[in-house]
Amino acid sequence: MATKKSKTPNFIDALNLLEQERGIDKMTVLDALKEALEKAYKKNYAGSESIIRCTIDGETGRIRLFDIKQVVDDVMDEDYQLSEEEAQEINPKYKVGDEVVTEISPEVFGRLAAIQTKQLLRQKIREAEKEALYQEYVDKQDEIINGLVERVEPKFAIVNIGKTGALLPLNAQIPGEHLVEGQHLKVYVSVVERGTKGTHIGVSRTDPGLVKRLFEMNVPEIYDGTVVIHSVSREPGERSKISVSTENPDIDPIGSCVGPKGTRVRNVVTELNGEQIDIIEYSDDPVTYISNALSPARVDKVKLNEKDTSALVIVPDDQLSLAIGKKGQNARLAVRLTGWKIDIKSETEANEAGINFDIDEDFNEEFLEAMEASDETSKNEEVVANEEETKKPEEKGVKKVKKSAPVKHESHDSEAAEALKEKLEQANDDGDQDYVKILSEDEDLDEDDDEPDYDPKYDEDIDYDAFDEYYDD
């Protein structure tokens, strides 16, 4: 009994398989093949200016090639022009202005033309593959992808993320994390861009977005939008801070992120190789937000300078180490989280600097108002109680009072100014403080505009016992 020969699949079947495996659209490849055949025929059998058209049936795979020439009175270019006499030899009905279309059999292609067509087609397929890869992953930017570590080198690792490998450089790996080949890893897609060598996909394990996406995966309330993540600040491998809030009064945003017995946040910490995570509640009030951001330290007072988005924070003496953190880490994370420049002082430091938050704010404003009314010609002039106090301020208990940044007021009462001066003299006679300094919300608390994100004093060797005890528990 004779066996029936299986039908040999044509190139259309191959294109269907290519579309399934590599995601390259079949019509894109067909268009590339048309272009390759047209260019190969022009180069080997017709002129560079000739007009060649190719059609391919997407179902049967039939290829048809046509040479098109214009009928003219005076032939200037034989590549695409034909005289009327020559055209009428083909068909007497042709006249000037008509097009003569001649079908060419694909069998005329010789070995050289076939090789050129093959090279052009490969190039077009590679370009189409790069574009398909870009379109697939561009929508996954800022998302988490499950990858497989394929190769580990001293300065980078290659992670298989599906249809391609992504580069995970050393500076995008969590410090202290040891990667091994074959390890499953969650990576954050930080960049997807076209390049001369193809689509470049950059992944990271240190981006703050990784923390945000991990919480979305582990906390249903965040995924459905009930709990909102406002900001994330991170020092990879060590510690992160995340601020959350909700408009539903029946839901605790921090408790939702922590989960039953801490299971939700523990999953995130495990994925981040044991990185500590502080979850704080977001507030529209900057004072409350800054106070929360400095947790676990307890904050007594916060003075804002909205002009340069800076804040002066006073904490109890025994909370200074906790507020600053090891080498200023807690302060730096709070700065990045809130967007406010934060200067932290203990109560003792504040008293030594003459910063007194207990002064009545109304008194401060009235005093500044009176000073502007009494001296409009000099904004920076020092006001002294009398000549004797100017000579020996130490004996009188008040060294000097210096005007701060000007504050605009609607009215200036000279009688109120005199009354306020009397109040100031009375305060000086009481001798309760070394000197009085008036602070306003417009006053610049920082003398150096180039000051770093945190005070260099945060790097001093200080006692971290309270900080260690908090996390050791």
Side-chain angles (χ1 to χ4, degrees):
M1 181 177 173
T3 58
K4 185 179 180 181
K5 287 187 177 181
S6 60
K7 183 180 179 182
T8 303
N10 57 22
F11 78 96
I12 294 296
D13 296 329
L15 292 182
N16 292 332
L17 185 62
L18 187 67
E19 184 175 24
Q20 293 175 5
E21 292 182 350
R22 299 191 181 183
I24 303 176
D25 183 60
K26 180 176 70 175
M27 297 308 300
T28 301
V29 180
L30 288 178
D31 291 340
L33 179 58
K34 293 177 188 177
E35 184 179 348
L37 289 171
E38 291 170 0
K39 287 184 177 180
Y41 188 84
K42 283 183 181 182
K43 185 174 182 180
N44 293 277
Y45 305 104
S48 59
E49 300 296 326
S50 59
I51 303 174
I52 306 297
R53 292 289 180 268
C54 179
T55 63
I56 303 177
D57 191 304
E59 298 295 331
T60 64
R62 182 186 179 187
I63 299 175
R64 302 183 69 185
L65 206 61
F66 301 94
D67 184 1
I68 302 174
K69 294 184 182 293
Q70 302 286 339
V71 180
V72 295
D73 286 331
D74 187 11
V75 177
M76 304 295 294
D77 193 328
E78 294 182 354
D79 286 349
Y80 64 93
Q81 292 179 341
L82 196 67
S83 67
E84 187 176 7
E85 292 77 9
E86 292 174 327
Q88 289 178 351
E89 289 179 2
I90 300 173
N91 191 330
K93 295 182 179 180
Y94 282 129
K95 58 183 179 179
V96 175
D98 291 341
E99 287 185 347
V100 178
V101 181
T102 305
E103 185 171 359
I104 306 165
S105 173
E107 296 178 358
V108 301
F109 280 85
R111 182 173 178 273
L112 179 61
I115 292 175
Q116 292 174 350
T117 302
K118 183 179 179 180
Q119 291 174 342
L120 286 171
L121 182 59
R122 282 182 174 177
Q123 179 182 351
K124 292 297 182 180
I125 290 177
R126 284 196 297 267
E127 292 176 357
E129 189 174 6
K130 293 175 184 178
E131 181 63 22
L133 188 66
Y134 174 81
Q135 293 298 333
E136 180 175 351
Y137 284 97
V138 69
D139 294 333
K140 296 181 180 179
Q141 187 169 347
D142 299 328
E143 299 291 340
I144 288 180
I145 292 181
N146 291 317
L148 182 69
V149 180
E150 287 189 340
R151 181 180 173 188
V152 179
E153 296 291 340
K155 293 185 178 180
F156 66 90
I158 301 296
V159 181
N160 188 334
I161 56 175
K163 295 183 178 179
T164 186
L167 181 69
L168 181 65
L170 185 62
N171 60 3
Q173 299 176 25
I174 297 177
E177 185 177 43
H178 180 64
L179 301 180
V180 295
E181 294 180 1
Q183 176 183 352
H184 290 274
L185 200 67
K186 286 184 174 64
V187 293
Y188 179 80
V189 182
S190 56
V191 59
V192 179
E193 59 186 8
R194 295 185 180 96
T196 55
K197 296 183 179 180
T199 300
H200 169 66
I201 301 173
V203 296
S204 173
R205 294 269 295 165
T206 60
D207 196 289
L210 177 64
V211 179
K212 182 177 180 180
R213 296 304 181 194
L214 286 173
F215 270 100
E216 288 180 355
M217 294 172 60
N218 288 276
V219 182
E221 290 84 354
I222 294 179
Y223 182 79
D224 63 21
T226 305
V227 175
V228 178
I229 297 176
H230 290 270
S231 180
V232 178
S233 62
R234 185 182 182 199
E235 293 199 355
E238 297 184 17
R239 192 177 176 192
S240 293
K241 283 182 180 286
I242 177 172
S243 61
V244 295
S245 70
T246 181
E247 295 182 357
N248 191 333
D250 298 329
I251 294 179
D252 176 15
I254 297 178
S256 299
C257 296
V258 174
K261 297 183 180 180
T263 54
R264 292 175 178 177
V265 70
R266 192 181 302 118
N267 291 337
V268 178
V269 170
T270 302
E271 181 62 38
L272 297 177
N273 198 33
E275 185 174 312
Q276 294 287 350
I277 298 178
D278 291 348
I279 305 172
I280 71 165
E281 186 170 2
Y282 173 82
S283 175
D284 291 329
D285 178 21
V287 173
T288 304
Y289 191 27
I290 292 171
S291 300
N292 294 342
L294 288 171
S295 64
R298 186 178 73 256
V299 174
D300 278 353
K301 300 166 186 175
V302 177
K303 182 69 174 180
L304 302 178
N305 186 346
E306 296 182 357
K307 184 177 181 180
D308 61 354
T309 61
S310 63
L312 176 63
V313 177
I314 306 299
V315 299
D317 291 353
D318 62 349
Q319 296 287 304
L320 182 62
S321 301
L322 204 56
I324 294 173
K326 288 185 177 180
K327 297 184 179 179
Q329 184 184 79
N330 193 56
R332 288 195 303 274
L333 290 173
V335 167
R336 297 170 191 164
L337 188 73
T338 61
W340 286 76
K341 188 176 181 181
I342 301 173
D343 182 20
I344 306 173
K345 293 184 182 296
S346 65
E347 291 179 346
T348 301
E349 290 175 331
N351 292 334
E352 291 176 354
I355 302 172
N356 192 344
F357 282 83
D358 293 331
I359 297 177
D360 183 65
E361 292 295 333
D362 295 335
F363 174 80
N364 292 344
E365 294 179 2
E366 291 176 0
F367 177 78
L368 291 172
E369 192 175 286
M371 292 302 99
E372 289 181 355
S374 61
D375 187 7
E376 297 179 354
T377 59
S378 177
K379 294 182 179 180
N380 296 322
E381 181 181 357
E382 294 185 353
V383 179
V384 296
N386 51 53
E387 295 182 359
E388 183 178 353
E389 290 176 352
T390 305
K391 294 178 182 179
K392 298 179 180 181
E394 296 84 357
E395 299 176 1
K396 298 299 181 179
V398 178
K399 290 185 178 180
K400 60 183 177 179
V401 177
K402 186 174 182 179
K403 289 180 62 179
S404 63
V407 180
K408 294 182 179 180
H409 297 279
E410 296 180 357
S411 63
H412 303 284
D413 192 342
S414 59
E415 294 181 1
E418 294 297 330
L420 288 170
K421 285 184 180 180
E422 292 179 4
K423 289 183 181 181
L424 176 60
E425 292 175 2
Q426 181 64 34
N428 295 344
D429 293 337
D430 292 340
D432 292 335
Q433 54 186 13
D434 288 340
Y435 60 91
V436 178
K437 182 177 181 182
I438 305 302
L439 293 175
S440 72
E441 291 188 355
D442 292 330
E443 183 177 7
D444 189 0
L445 299 175
D446 301 313
E447 296 181 357
D448 187 0
D449 292 336
D450 297 328
E451 185 177 351
D453 289 343
Y454 65 97
D455 198 310
K457 71 180 179 181
Y458 298 162
D459 288 332
E460 296 177 358
D461 293 329
I462 59 178
D463 181 16
Y464 296 112
D465 291 342
F467 181 88
D468 293 332
E469 288 177 4
Y470 178 82
Y471 283 105
D472 288 342
D473 292 340

